[in-house]
Amino acid sequence: WGSRDLNPEVARQYNVGLTYTHTSSRSLLENLSFSADGYYNYVKDKIVAMPYNMFFWTMVNLGRVDIWGLDATLDMAFRLASRHRLLTTLSYTYQKAVDKTDPSSVYYEDQIPYTPEHSGAFSLAWENPYVNVVFHATGVDKRYASVQNTKTNELNGYIECGVALYRTFRWKLVDCSLRLDAQNIGNKQYSIVKNYPMPGRSYKITLGINL
């Protein structure tokens, strides 16, 4: 849908990054890992997907898009006691992706559709001999449903939170896992696609068997 003669993207990418890792068997902080990547992409014929509705998406080329971005991730593991660990992960993404096709256009240097400038995720898990517990959250900044960044095309940012209980066990020489999830515990009907709010709170049970 959209352009029947879609061109492939051609990109020049420049990236610089760093990583740091620390491990210790004697301190409370058992493991720490940090990574960060900054980048600039010059993209010709950027392919952008814009939903016509929930079932049909329009694929179009944007002549030129400049992308400045930063990805950062922090992982930490704490040893609380024997067989008790606290695991935490924090990630953040900044992405300024603007349309630089036509300087005379009204949407010149506007953020491209459905691309938030800021997004991130967080999780905190307690591993123990009984039932593991995890809390997780994902958030995104405002986005736009069109190439033109106007108030009518704006989608509000959101944070979705969830909790889960999970356990692995062995039953008759078979490795099994059981997980109970409560998703979107705030029961907020945020929109990923304009005019189509997502479901509210939901629950899921997952049983895994490794033969």
Side-chain angles (χ1 to χ4, degrees):
W1 287 69
S3 174
R4 297 182 61 184
D5 300 310
L6 206 62
N7 295 322
E9 292 183 357
V10 178
R12 295 177 183 174
Q13 304 181 2
Y14 304 90
N15 178 85
V16 61
L18 62 89
T19 60
Y20 173 79
T21 301
H22 167 78
T23 58
S24 174
S25 59
R26 299 180 180 179
S27 64
L28 174 66
L29 181 59
E30 185 180 58
N31 182 71
L32 183 147
S33 177
F34 174 77
S35 65
D37 284 277
Y39 56 88
Y40 165 71
N41 294 348
Y42 167 93
V43 187
K44 181 182 177 182
D45 290 327
K46 172 72 175 174
I47 297 175
V48 176
M50 293 186 292
Y52 178 75
N53 56 39
M54 283 293 290
F55 308 102
F56 298 102
W57 289 64
T58 301
M59 311 298 292
V60 298
N61 283 121
L62 298 181
R64 174 188 167 185
V65 172
D66 280 8
I67 304 174
W68 295 88
L70 171 69
D71 293 327
T73 303
L74 175 66
D75 292 297
M76 292 186 291
F78 298 89
R79 182 186 293 108
L80 304 180
S82 177
R83 300 178 66 190
H84 289 262
R85 298 172 74 225
L86 197 63
L87 309 176
T88 181
T89 298
L90 179 65
S91 63
Y92 168 75
T93 296
Y94 169 78
Q95 191 173 87
K96 185 67 174 177
V98 296
D99 188 344
K100 302 275 284 191
T101 304
D102 183 3
S104 64
S105 172
V106 293
Y107 48 82
Y108 181 69
E109 292 191 335
D110 278 0
Q111 187 82 351
I112 64 176
Y114 290 98
T115 303
E117 282 192 33
H118 306 277
S119 61
F122 169 77
S123 70
L124 181 65
W126 172 35
E127 291 186 344
N128 59 80
Y130 314 109
V131 178
N132 301 318
V133 183
V134 61
F135 169 82
H136 54 86
T138 302
V140 300
D141 193 15
K142 65 181 180 181
R143 296 137 294 137
Y144 294 93
S146 172
V147 291
Q148 193 168 357
N149 294 178
T150 61
K151 194 66 178 179
T152 56
N153 293 326
E154 185 178 310
L155 292 172
N156 293 329
Y158 64 85
I159 297 177
E160 181 185 356
C161 301
V163 293
L165 305 175
Y166 63 97
R167 170 113 187 242
T168 58
F169 56 94
R170 195 166 180 82
W171 179 71
K172 293 185 178 181
L173 303 179
V174 177
D175 291 326
C176 303
S177 63
L178 180 64
R179 183 181 175 105
L180 308 177
D181 279 277
Q183 299 173 320
N184 194 7
I185 57 177
N187 200 32
K188 182 179 179 180
Q189 289 187 284
Y190 56 87
S191 294
I192 294 179
V193 176
K194 188 177 182 181
N195 300 323
Y196 289 88
M198 298 297 290
R201 188 182 300 113
S202 62
Y203 304 93
K204 182 172 66 173
I205 301 177
T206 305
L207 175 64
I209 299 176
N210 187 13
L211 301 177

